[in-house]
Amino acid sequence: MIRILTYTFYLSAVFSSCAMAQDDFCADKNATTETLNLYRNLKKLARKGFMFGHQDDLAYGVNWRYENGRSDVKEVTGDYPAIYGWELGGLEANADKNIDGVPFKKMRQFIKDGYERGGVITISWHARSPFGAEKGAWDTTHGTVASILPGGSNHALYKSWLDELAKFFLSLKGSRGEAIPVLFRPFHELTGSWFWWGKNECSPGQFKILWRFTQYYLREEKKVHNLLYIYNTADFKTKNEFLERYPGDDIVDMISFDAYQYDDPLKSDWFIKNTNFQLGLIEEIAAEKDKLFALSETGYETIPYANWWTETLLKAIGQHKISYVLVWRNHGYNEFMKKMHYYAPYKGHASEADFVKFYQLDNTLFEKEVAKEKLYND
Ligand code: BMA
């Protein structure tokens, strides 16, 4: 009965979630001071320019692994990225390392290092499927989301995953003992169909309940108040498509999508046109809803076009006032993929000079510049 009641509660919450734009408050009304300050300051910062981000930047680069202070981005520009992406996949199962081999203990320290220097932290979560440890997040068994929701056979298991996440988020502390704010991007690329929470794997209603339950549990049950929440899709063509699974204005702080370059930018301007068009759509939504917006994952694997930064990425972003753009990780040679897998330049890479040009532009923000903004202060 309690289960049925709880379920009804989430359902009604989902379908009545048409809250108004929220002025200057983030989704969590009990957000820590630093988290709320970050939210407010990011709104101002977007008028000046956009932050450049890199996944796993401090952990490894194309030719190195775990060397204190190193960063491929820093070796090219003299500066760290303004925003650091980290990944929690594996944490739910109590693993010591995430799915890309980054030890959580080290990750915690990297997060602290970036935060203490004035940078921003964003976190994604390739949560494994309860049905397929082997394929992990990429197991698309139908009914996975339903099984996780209140009343479902995997609900207790799912809560135990969130317990692990909560422990991690609460363990992120600055030097004064304050919680380090995180832009959390759960259930990413939700309009795709390659993860168990994807668009062919669950209904919009189920997805919204999944989101609402997750956030409710972390915030109210586990008292995690250092998160800003990012709603993130893959490809989409219209505002309606982008918003089909949007869980509600009252529980989202930032909207975003992921878009990669796959074709040859010298032969096709599709990436520029499509990304720019999509940014236009979410910029309108963000204005209507008073939300932040970003290009939360992008890149051209191995960057085989030396001017990709200023001739492609910059043009794709155009005049849109995004908060940040983040390129994916610099794994180097990937045994599993049998190819080089990296998205930021490193010392000696052919796109180095163009990346420095990109760095020097007034509207591209790296760590030194955002540190001056003191994003966590009032
Ligand atoms: C993908 C690849 C994978 C990685 C996954 C999660 O894009 O980089 O190697 O495991 O992201 O970080």
Side-chain angles (χ1 to χ4, degrees):
M1 181 61 154
I2 288 174
R3 275 187 177 172
I4 293 168
L5 279 178
T6 326
Y7 193 68
T8 317
F9 164 74
Y10 293 118
L11 269 182
S12 62
V14 164
F15 293 114
S16 67
S17 66
C18 50
M20 311 290 290
Q22 299 178 38
D23 306 319
D24 232 6
F25 284 92
C26 58
D28 182 355
K29 296 292 164 290
N30 293 314
T32 65
T33 308
E34 288 76 13
T35 307
L36 185 56
N37 287 344
L38 174 65
Y39 176 73
R40 290 174 174 166
N41 287 325
L42 286 181
K43 286 201 167 168
K44 291 184 205 148
L45 191 66
R47 289 182 223 133
K48 288 197 179 165
F50 58 86
M51 299 186 286
F52 179 81
H54 187 209
Q55 185 74 5
D56 285 350
D57 186 81
L58 302 173
Y60 53 84
V62 171
N63 297 309
W64 58 275
R65 291 269 178 284
Y66 307 103
E67 292 180 33
N68 248 349
R70 267 191 96 165
S71 149
D72 280 347
V73 167
K74 182 164 184 263
E75 282 170 22
V76 172
T77 62
D79 199 354
Y80 288 108
I83 176 160
Y84 299 92
W86 299 104
E87 161 60 38
L88 294 186
L91 186 69
E92 69 280 0
N94 239 313
D96 295 338
K97 295 177 177 174
N98 81 355
I99 50 170
D100 300 320
V102 182
F104 289 109
K105 220 173 145 186
K106 286 194 192 297
M107 192 188 295
R108 197 178 284 121
Q109 186 58 45
F110 293 139
I111 288 173
K112 188 173 175 188
D113 293 346
Y115 166 76
E116 292 291 348
R117 284 194 297 260
V120 176
I121 311 302
T122 181
I123 287 185
S124 52
W125 181 30
H126 286 72
R128 66 179 54 191
S129 157
F131 293 126
E134 222 172 276
K135 289 195 194 161
W138 291 267
D139 183 296
T140 50
T141 304
H142 275 256
T144 305
V145 169
S147 83
I148 271 174
L149 298 180
S153 57
N154 285 313
H155 186 57
L157 176 69
Y158 185 60
K159 284 204 288 193
S160 75
W161 293 359
L162 295 179
D163 291 344
E164 292 305 318
L165 254 65
K167 263 192 248 164
F168 186 81
F169 287 134
L170 292 171
S171 75
L172 302 175
K173 294 277 171 65
S175 55
R176 290 175 292 110
E178 78 283 18
I180 298 177
V182 168
L183 307 182
F184 184 38
R185 186 169 63 98
F187 315 121
H188 66 298
E189 301 178 355
L190 62 100
T191 54
S193 204
W194 41 88
F195 298 128
W196 53 260
W197 55 85
K199 78 159 186 253
N200 292 335
E201 283 64 43
C202 60
S203 70
Q206 286 171 332
F207 181 83
K208 292 177 191 181
I209 299 169
L210 174 69
W211 184 291
R212 203 164 267 279
F213 172 78
T214 303
Q215 197 159 331
Y216 161 81
Y217 190 79
L218 288 173
R219 198 182 59 205
E220 306 302 328
E221 299 283 336
K222 307 310 290 186
K223 313 289 180 219
V224 177
H225 295 301
N226 52 332
L227 304 182
L228 295 174
Y229 286 86
I230 310 183
Y231 173 82
N232 170 251
T233 73
D235 198 31
F236 62 99
K237 305 217 161 18
T238 62
K239 284 200 218 177
N240 279 347
E241 195 184 345
F242 181 83
L243 289 174
E244 192 192 22
R245 283 153 195 260
Y246 180 71
D249 289 345
D250 57 329
I251 49 173
V252 170
D253 296 301
M254 184 184 277
I255 58 174
S256 72
F257 63 93
D258 295 355
Y260 285 84
Q261 170 106 46
Y262 292 109
D263 56 5
D264 180 349
L266 289 173
K267 294 194 185 126
S268 155
D269 61 359
W270 165 250
F271 174 80
I272 296 180
K273 281 205 173 124
N274 195 46
T275 307
N276 195 268
F277 170 71
Q278 290 174 321
L279 283 173
L281 294 182
I282 72 163
E283 182 160 32
E284 282 177 28
I285 299 171
E288 285 157 18
K289 297 181 175 299
D290 193 19
K291 302 292 173 199
L292 296 159
F293 72 108
L295 180 52
S296 38
E297 270 185 50
T298 190
Y300 184 24
E301 195 178 49
T302 74
I303 326 145
Y305 171 37
N307 294 333
W308 191 75
W309 304 102
T310 62
E311 290 298 326
T312 308
L313 181 60
L314 203 62
K315 290 181 179 165
I317 294 169
Q319 296 308 310
H320 301 300
K321 299 278 179 225
I322 56 173
S323 279
Y324 75 89
V325 60
L326 180 141
V327 297
W328 208 238
R329 58 199 200 93
N330 274 16
H331 184 97
Y333 185 75
N334 190 315
E335 276 298 334
F336 177 71
M337 297 174 167
K338 301 268 171 269
K339 60 175 176 175
M340 290 298 278
H341 184 57
Y342 64 87
Y343 295 88
Y346 54 92
K347 197 87 200 140
H349 185 269
S351 78
E352 205 182 337
D354 190 56
F355 191 66
V356 171
K357 245 166 98 181
F358 177 83
Y359 170 76
Q360 287 166 341
L361 295 168
D362 283 347
N363 64 333
T364 56
L365 307 173
F366 285 65
E367 192 171 78
K368 282 180 192 159
E369 265 174 287
V370 302
K372 284 190 215 145
E373 302 290 327
K374 302 203 185 319
L375 295 175
Y376 304 99
N377 290 2
D378 202 354

